[in-house]
């Protein structure tokens, strides 16, 4: 079999294998694999060109592997381990990461219709142990009601491609939520800026329903903790968060982590520890400055009541 014939092949399979629910994010596993392959090369003092010549693969394919691009070639990864005489345990970890990185999650088939940015988040949420978020202007997607999600998705058509379908996107968001709230799912913690609570991001009735939904989720699911960050609070070090972000911790043996930062045009994904630590440090300060769980629920209830009062309701 020639090198081109081996591209994106996994021995014994006709197509990429389906990702089990609790397996770590394929994206994160590819990033770890790429860093490990690069580390191996540097430890042995060899170039990607020399490996490419020895194994009969294009140099660009090794570069793609080290950059964590889609579909690591299992034959190539195995060949690199053989060429560099990698030890049994390290080889097993590398090959496991290659298999995980080759997987296709449920979000792949409908990525364009559900929104490619949402598909990235579904990937990152796979196999998490904890998900920690800071929301600066909107209720986080994992807490959104269908009506609120639909209003937000339809409000910014420029963020989506031609094949984007709001109904598919809302259904995908509901599926992501169900996986997080399922038995054995990750612990979910969110610090929500008060501006996201007060903002009329949809019809007032929809926003009120959304806030009551957050209260219900926090009440019914012990694994979910929401804290509101008051607008007038003092944050240690006078920190001023610049954007919304999500921090993911995984169940894999390496205890991998990732951070997704929400920007106007795209999502920035960080998996390098040096880029992760500042977000973890910032979040600890935000969490310390935010209201307690019970005080946050009281604020959410009062905000919902101010939008659509309910008969006999008390704050």
């Amino acid at each position: 079999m020639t090198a081109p014939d081996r591209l994106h092949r996994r021995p014994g399979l006709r197509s990429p294998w389906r990702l089990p629910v609790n397996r770590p994010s394929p994206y994160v596993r590819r990033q770890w694999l790429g860093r490990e392959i690069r580390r191996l090369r540097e430890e042995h003092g060899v170039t990607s060109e020399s490996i490419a010549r020895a194994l009969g693969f294009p140099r660009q394919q090794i570069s793609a592997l080290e950059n964590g691009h889609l579909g690591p070639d299992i034959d190539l990864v195995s060949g690199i381990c053989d060429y560099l005489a990698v030890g049994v345990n390290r080889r097993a970890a590398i090959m496991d990461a290659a298999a995980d990185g080759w997987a296709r999650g449920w979000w792949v088939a409908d990525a364009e219709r559900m929104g490619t940015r949402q598909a990235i988040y579904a990937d990152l949420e796979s196999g998490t142990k904890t998900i920690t978020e800071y929301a600066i202007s909107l209720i986080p997607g994992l807490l959104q009601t269908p009506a609120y999600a639909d209003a937000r998705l339809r409000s910014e058509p420029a963020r989506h491609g031609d094949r984007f379908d709001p109904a598919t996107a809302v259904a995908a968001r509901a599926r992501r939520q169900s996986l997080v709230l399922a038995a054995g799912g990750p612990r979910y913690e969110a610090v929500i800026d008060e501006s996201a609570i007060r903002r009329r991001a949809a019809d007032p009735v929809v926003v009120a329903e959304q806030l009551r939904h957050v209260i219900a989720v926090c009440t019914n699911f012990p694994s979910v903790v929401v804290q509101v960050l008051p607008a007038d609070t003092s944050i240690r070090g006078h920190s001023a968060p610049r954007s919304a972000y999500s921090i993911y911790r995984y169940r894999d043996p390496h205890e991998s982590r990732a951070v997704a930062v929400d920007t106007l045009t795209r999502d920035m994904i960080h998996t390098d520890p040096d880029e992760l630590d500042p977000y973890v440090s910032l979040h600890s300060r935000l969490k310390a400055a935010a209201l307690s769980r019970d005080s946050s629920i009281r604020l959410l209830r009062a905000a919902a009541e101010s939008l659509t009062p309910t008969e006999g309701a008390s704050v």
Side-chain angles (χ1 to χ4, degrees), residues 223-253:
S223 62
V224 175
V225 176
V226 170
Q227 294 177 261
V228 176
L229 183 68
D232 61 354
T233 195
S234 176
I235 304 171
R236 180 164 54 87
H238 304 292
S239 299
R242 292 174 173 82
S243 58
Y245 58 79
S246 304
I247 304 172
Y248 306 93
R249 292 176 174 84
Y250 296 93
R251 304 175 190 270
D252 67 302

mmCIF file of all heavy atoms in Angstrom, residues 223-253:
data_model
loop_
_atom_site.group_PDB
_atom_site.id
_atom_site.type_symbol
_atom_site.label_atom_id
_atom_site.label_comp_id
_atom_site.label_asym_id
_atom_site.label_seq_id
_atom_site.Cartn_x
_atom_site.Cartn_y
_atom_site.Cartn_z
ATOM 1 N N SER A 223 -25.079 18.441 40.432
ATOM 2 C CA SER A 223 -23.813 18.578 39.699
ATOM 3 C C SER A 223 -23.684 19.935 39.009
ATOM 4 O O SER A 223 -22.654 20.223 38.396
ATOM 5 C CB SER A 223 -23.684 17.468 38.656
ATOM 6 O OG SER A 223 -24.735 17.561 37.697
ATOM 7 N N VAL A 224 -24.737 20.749 39.083
ATOM 8 C CA VAL A 224 -24.728 22.059 38.428
ATOM 9 C C VAL A 224 -24.696 23.165 39.480
ATOM 10 O O VAL A 224 -25.520 23.188 40.396
ATOM 11 C CB VAL A 224 -25.966 22.243 37.530
ATOM 12 C CG1 VAL A 224 -26.007 23.662 36.954
ATOM 13 C CG2 VAL A 224 -25.972 21.212 36.414
ATOM 14 N N VAL A 225 -23.734 24.056 39.364
ATOM 15 C CA VAL A 225 -23.617 25.202 40.270
ATOM 16 C C VAL A 225 -23.488 26.467 39.430
ATOM 17 O O VAL A 225 -22.601 26.564 38.573
ATOM 18 C CB VAL A 225 -22.399 25.071 41.205
ATOM 19 C CG1 VAL A 225 -22.266 26.326 42.069
ATOM 20 C CG2 VAL A 225 -22.516 23.831 42.071
ATOM 21 N N VAL A 226 -24.388 27.422 39.660
ATOM 22 C CA VAL A 226 -24.351 28.702 38.964
ATOM 23 C C VAL A 226 -24.170 29.813 39.983
ATOM 24 O O VAL A 226 -24.863 29.855 41.003
ATOM 25 C CB VAL A 226 -25.642 28.935 38.151
ATOM 26 C CG1 VAL A 226 -25.700 30.366 37.630
ATOM 27 C CG2 VAL A 226 -25.718 27.953 36.987
ATOM 28 N N GLN A 227 -23.222 30.713 39.719
ATOM 29 C CA GLN A 227 -23.004 31.887 40.548
ATOM 30 C C GLN A 227 -23.106 33.128 39.669
ATOM 31 O O GLN A 227 -22.587 33.144 38.545
ATOM 32 C CB GLN A 227 -21.630 31.849 41.206
ATOM 33 C CG GLN A 227 -21.435 30.732 42.223
ATOM 34 C CD GLN A 227 -20.021 30.737 42.777
ATOM 35 O OE1 GLN A 227 -19.178 29.955 42.325
ATOM 36 N NE2 GLN A 227 -19.750 31.622 43.733
ATOM 37 N N VAL A 228 -23.753 34.151 40.186
ATOM 38 C CA VAL A 228 -23.882 35.415 39.467
ATOM 39 C C VAL A 228 -22.802 36.376 39.954
ATOM 40 O O VAL A 228 -22.593 36.529 41.170
ATOM 41 C CB VAL A 228 -25.276 36.028 39.662
ATOM 42 C CG1 VAL A 228 -25.361 37.390 38.976
ATOM 43 C CG2 VAL A 228 -26.350 35.091 39.101
ATOM 44 N N LEU A 229 -22.137 37.016 39.011
ATOM 45 C CA LEU A 229 -21.109 38.007 39.328
ATOM 46 C C LEU A 229 -21.756 39.396 39.264
ATOM 47 O O LEU A 229 -22.048 39.900 38.169
ATOM 48 C CB LEU A 229 -19.958 37.913 38.330
ATOM 49 C CG LEU A 229 -18.769 38.836 38.570
ATOM 50 C CD1 LEU A 229 -18.019 38.434 39.845
ATOM 51 C CD2 LEU A 229 -17.817 38.802 37.372
ATOM 52 N N PRO A 230 -22.009 40.034 40.416
ATOM 53 C CA PRO A 230 -22.676 41.341 40.405
ATOM 54 C C PRO A 230 -21.862 42.396 39.661
ATOM 55 O O PRO A 230 -20.626 42.371 39.664
ATOM 56 C CB PRO A 230 -22.794 41.695 41.899
ATOM 57 C CG PRO A 230 -22.693 40.382 42.610
ATOM 58 C CD PRO A 230 -21.749 39.557 41.784
ATOM 59 N N ALA A 231 -22.577 43.330 39.057
ATOM 60 C CA ALA A 231 -21.903 44.369 38.271
ATOM 61 C C ALA A 231 -21.044 45.270 39.137
ATOM 62 O O ALA A 231 -20.029 45.806 38.669
ATOM 63 C CB ALA A 231 -22.953 45.200 37.523
ATOM 64 N N ASP A 232 -21.424 45.448 40.402
ATOM 65 C CA ASP A 232 -20.695 46.383 41.259
ATOM 66 C C ASP A 232 -19.714 45.693 42.202
ATOM 67 O O ASP A 232 -19.197 46.307 43.129
ATOM 68 C CB ASP A 232 -21.675 47.223 42.083
ATOM 69 C CG ASP A 232 -22.548 46.363 42.996
ATOM 70 O OD1 ASP A 232 -22.470 45.117 42.895
ATOM 71 O OD2 ASP A 232 -23.313 46.930 43.795
ATOM 72 N N THR A 233 -19.425 44.412 41.956
ATOM 73 C CA THR A 233 -18.531 43.692 42.848
ATOM 74 C C THR A 233 -17.074 44.059 42.602
ATOM 75 O O THR A 233 -16.705 44.510 41.509
ATOM 76 C CB THR A 233 -18.710 42.169 42.690
ATOM 77 O OG1 THR A 233 -18.096 41.498 43.795
ATOM 78 C CG2 THR A 233 -18.073 41.682 41.395
ATOM 79 N N SER A 234 -16.257 43.844 43.599
ATOM 80 C CA SER A 234 -14.827 44.080 43.467
ATOM 81 C C SER A 234 -14.129 42.741 43.272
ATOM 82 O O SER A 234 -14.279 41.829 44.095
ATOM 83 C CB SER A 234 -14.290 44.769 44.724
ATOM 84 O OG SER A 234 -12.885 44.930 44.650
ATOM 85 N N ILE A 235 -13.393 42.604 42.183
ATOM 86 C CA ILE A 235 -12.680 41.376 41.868
ATOM 87 C C ILE A 235 -11.224 41.541 42.278
ATOM 88 O O ILE A 235 -10.605 42.578 41.998
ATOM 89 C CB ILE A 235 -12.770 41.051 40.360
ATOM 90 C CG1 ILE A 235 -14.231 40.976 39.924
ATOM 91 C CG2 ILE A 235 -12.044 39.748 40.036
ATOM 92 C CD1 ILE A 235 -14.414 40.884 38.436
ATOM 93 N N ARG A 236 -10.683 40.531 42.948
ATOM 94 C CA ARG A 236 -9.302 40.615 43.422
ATOM 95 C C ARG A 236 -8.347 40.965 42.277
ATOM 96 O O ARG A 236 -8.415 40.364 41.198
ATOM 97 C CB ARG A 236 -8.892 39.291 44.062
ATOM 98 C CG ARG A 236 -7.468 39.270 44.595
ATOM 99 C CD ARG A 236 -7.256 38.097 45.536
ATOM 100 N NE ARG A 236 -7.628 36.828 44.941
ATOM 101 C CZ ARG A 236 -6.794 36.074 44.201
ATOM 102 N NH1 ARG A 236 -5.575 36.506 43.961
ATOM 103 N NH2 ARG A 236 -7.201 34.921 43.726
ATOM 104 N N GLY A 237 -7.477 41.937 42.553
ATOM 105 C CA GLY A 237 -6.539 42.374 41.523
ATOM 106 C C GLY A 237 -7.173 43.273 40.492
ATOM 107 O O GLY A 237 -6.557 43.574 39.465
ATOM 108 N N HIS A 238 -8.435 43.690 40.742
ATOM 109 C CA HIS A 238 -9.175 44.529 39.792
ATOM 110 C C HIS A 238 -9.237 43.867 38.410
ATOM 111 O O HIS A 238 -9.114 44.531 37.371
ATOM 112 C CB HIS A 238 -8.554 45.928 39.687
ATOM 113 C CG HIS A 238 -8.452 46.630 41.008
ATOM 114 N ND1 HIS A 238 -9.553 47.064 41.714
ATOM 115 C CD2 HIS A 238 -7.370 46.932 41.778
ATOM 116 C CE1 HIS A 238 -9.163 47.617 42.854
ATOM 117 N NE2 HIS A 238 -7.844 47.549 42.919
ATOM 118 N N SER A 239 -9.403 42.556 38.421
ATOM 119 C CA SER A 239 -9.492 41.825 37.159
ATOM 120 C C SER A 239 -10.719 42.283 36.377
ATOM 121 O O SER A 239 -11.771 42.570 36.953
ATOM 122 C CB SER A 239 -9.597 40.317 37.432
ATOM 123 O OG SER A 239 -8.455 39.852 38.115
ATOM 124 N N ALA A 240 -10.576 42.343 35.066
ATOM 125 C CA ALA A 240 -11.675 42.738 34.190
ATOM 126 C C ALA A 240 -11.748 41.742 33.039
ATOM 127 O O ALA A 240 -11.010 41.868 32.057
ATOM 128 C CB ALA A 240 -11.454 44.153 33.663
ATOM 129 N N PRO A 241 -12.603 40.717 33.134
ATOM 130 C CA PRO A 241 -12.696 39.703 32.079
ATOM 131 C C PRO A 241 -13.023 40.340 30.736
ATOM 132 O O PRO A 241 -13.897 41.203 30.640
ATOM 133 C CB PRO A 241 -13.841 38.798 32.568
ATOM 134 C CG PRO A 241 -13.940 39.057 34.031
ATOM 135 C CD PRO A 241 -13.549 40.482 34.235
ATOM 136 N N ARG A 242 -12.325 39.900 29.701
ATOM 137 C CA ARG A 242 -12.500 40.496 28.378
ATOM 138 C C ARG A 242 -13.452 39.726 27.493
ATOM 139 O O ARG A 242 -13.933 40.255 26.482
ATOM 140 C CB ARG A 242 -11.133 40.612 27.687
ATOM 141 C CG ARG A 242 -10.193 41.616 28.337
ATOM 142 C CD ARG A 242 -8.822 41.577 27.700
ATOM 143 N NE ARG A 242 -7.952 42.635 28.193
ATOM 144 C CZ ARG A 242 -7.267 42.571 29.320
ATOM 145 N NH1 ARG A 242 -7.352 41.474 30.073
ATOM 146 N NH2 ARG A 242 -6.506 43.574 29.698
ATOM 147 N N SER A 243 -13.713 38.462 27.811
ATOM 148 C CA SER A 243 -14.564 37.655 26.939
ATOM 149 C C SER A 243 -15.094 36.448 27.705
ATOM 150 O O SER A 243 -14.587 36.102 28.776
ATOM 151 C CB SER A 243 -13.776 37.179 25.706
ATOM 152 O OG SER A 243 -12.650 36.423 26.117
ATOM 153 N N ALA A 244 -16.113 35.821 27.131
ATOM 154 C CA ALA A 244 -16.627 34.577 27.701
ATOM 155 C C ALA A 244 -15.644 33.452 27.387
ATOM 156 O O ALA A 244 -14.937 33.484 26.373
ATOM 157 C CB ALA A 244 -17.993 34.258 27.105
ATOM 158 N N TYR A 245 -15.607 32.456 28.272
ATOM 159 C CA TYR A 245 -14.717 31.322 28.035
ATOM 160 C C TYR A 245 -15.269 30.085 28.723
ATOM 161 O O TYR A 245 -16.123 30.168 29.607
ATOM 162 C CB TYR A 245 -13.299 31.618 28.540
ATOM 163 C CG TYR A 245 -13.231 31.948 30.009
ATOM 164 C CD1 TYR A 245 -13.284 30.956 30.995
ATOM 165 C CD2 TYR A 245 -13.120 33.275 30.436
ATOM 166 C CE1 TYR A 245 -13.237 31.264 32.339
ATOM 167 C CE2 TYR A 245 -13.066 33.589 31.783
ATOM 168 C CZ TYR A 245 -13.133 32.580 32.733
ATOM 169 O OH TYR A 245 -13.098 32.892 34.064
ATOM 170 N N SER A 246 -14.762 28.935 28.304
ATOM 171 C CA SER A 246 -15.129 27.646 28.897
ATOM 172 C C SER A 246 -13.847 26.866 29.159
ATOM 173 O O SER A 246 -12.967 26.804 28.297
ATOM 174 C CB SER A 246 -16.027 26.839 27.955
ATOM 175 O OG SER A 246 -17.185 27.568 27.597
ATOM 176 N N ILE A 247 -13.754 26.272 30.352
ATOM 177 C CA ILE A 247 -12.593 25.472 30.734
ATOM 178 C C ILE A 247 -13.043 24.020 30.864
ATOM 179 O O ILE A 247 -14.027 23.738 31.562
ATOM 180 C CB ILE A 247 -11.995 25.946 32.075
ATOM 181 C CG1 ILE A 247 -11.629 27.433 32.002
ATOM 182 C CG2 ILE A 247 -10.766 25.105 32.442
ATOM 183 C CD1 ILE A 247 -11.221 28.025 33.339
ATOM 184 N N TYR A 248 -12.334 23.126 30.200
ATOM 185 C CA TYR A 248 -12.701 21.703 30.195
ATOM 186 C C TYR A 248 -11.594 20.872 30.829
ATOM 187 O O TYR A 248 -10.418 21.053 30.505
ATOM 188 C CB TYR A 248 -12.932 21.210 28.766
ATOM 189 C CG TYR A 248 -13.940 22.038 27.998
ATOM 190 C CD1 TYR A 248 -13.519 23.105 27.199
ATOM 191 C CD2 TYR A 248 -15.306 21.772 28.079
ATOM 192 C CE1 TYR A 248 -14.433 23.879 26.501
ATOM 193 C CE2 TYR A 248 -16.231 22.537 27.383
ATOM 194 C CZ TYR A 248 -15.790 23.586 26.602
ATOM 195 O OH TYR A 248 -16.696 24.357 25.914
ATOM 196 N N ARG A 249 -11.986 19.960 31.693
ATOM 197 C CA ARG A 249 -11.061 18.981 32.265
ATOM 198 C C ARG A 249 -11.585 17.602 31.886
ATOM 199 O O ARG A 249 -12.787 17.329 32.015
ATOM 200 C CB ARG A 249 -10.948 19.141 33.782
ATOM 201 C CG ARG A 249 -10.272 20.435 34.210
ATOM 202 C CD ARG A 249 -10.273 20.578 35.729
ATOM 203 N NE ARG A 249 -9.504 21.739 36.173
ATOM 204 C CZ ARG A 249 -9.993 22.974 36.229
ATOM 205 N NH1 ARG A 249 -11.257 23.204 35.877
ATOM 206 N NH2 ARG A 249 -9.231 23.975 36.638
ATOM 207 N N TYR A 250 -10.669 16.709 31.467
ATOM 208 C CA TYR A 250 -11.084 15.431 30.888
ATOM 209 C C TYR A 250 -10.757 14.242 31.780
ATOM 210 O O TYR A 250 -9.969 14.336 32.723
ATOM 211 C CB TYR A 250 -10.432 15.266 29.512
ATOM 212 C CG TYR A 250 -10.908 16.312 28.540
ATOM 213 C CD1 TYR A 250 -10.207 17.502 28.374
ATOM 214 C CD2 TYR A 250 -12.085 16.130 27.835
ATOM 215 C CE1 TYR A 250 -10.669 18.489 27.525
ATOM 216 C CE2 TYR A 250 -12.545 17.117 26.969
ATOM 217 C CZ TYR A 250 -11.846 18.288 26.823
ATOM 218 O OH TYR A 250 -12.311 19.266 25.989
ATOM 219 N N ARG A 251 -11.375 13.115 31.435
ATOM 220 C CA ARG A 251 -11.232 11.886 32.213
ATOM 221 C C ARG A 251 -10.068 11.027 31.736
ATOM 222 O O ARG A 251 -9.867 9.941 32.246
ATOM 223 C CB ARG A 251 -12.529 11.057 32.114
ATOM 224 C CG ARG A 251 -13.790 11.796 32.545
ATOM 225 C CD ARG A 251 -15.021 10.937 32.285
ATOM 226 N NE ARG A 251 -16.261 11.668 32.456
ATOM 227 C CZ ARG A 251 -16.926 11.768 33.600
ATOM 228 N NH1 ARG A 251 -16.444 11.162 34.674
ATOM 229 N NH2 ARG A 251 -18.044 12.454 33.677
ATOM 230 N N ASP A 252 -9.327 11.478 30.731
ATOM 231 C CA ASP A 252 -8.251 10.660 30.184
ATOM 232 C C ASP A 252 -7.102 10.543 31.183
ATOM 233 O O ASP A 252 -7.009 11.333 32.130
ATOM 234 C CB ASP A 252 -7.759 11.236 28.852
ATOM 235 C CG ASP A 252 -7.083 12.584 29.036
ATOM 236 O OD1 ASP A 252 -7.731 13.487 29.562
ATOM 237 O OD2 ASP A 252 -5.903 12.712 28.680
ATOM 238 N N PRO A 253 -6.213 9.562 30.998
ATOM 239 C CA PRO A 253 -5.117 9.339 31.953
ATOM 240 C C PRO A 253 -4.197 10.537 32.136
ATOM 241 O O PRO A 253 -3.526 10.662 33.161
ATOM 242 C CB PRO A 253 -4.355 8.158 31.340
ATOM 243 C CG PRO A 253 -5.340 7.472 30.459
ATOM 244 C CD PRO A 253 -6.220 8.553 29.928
#
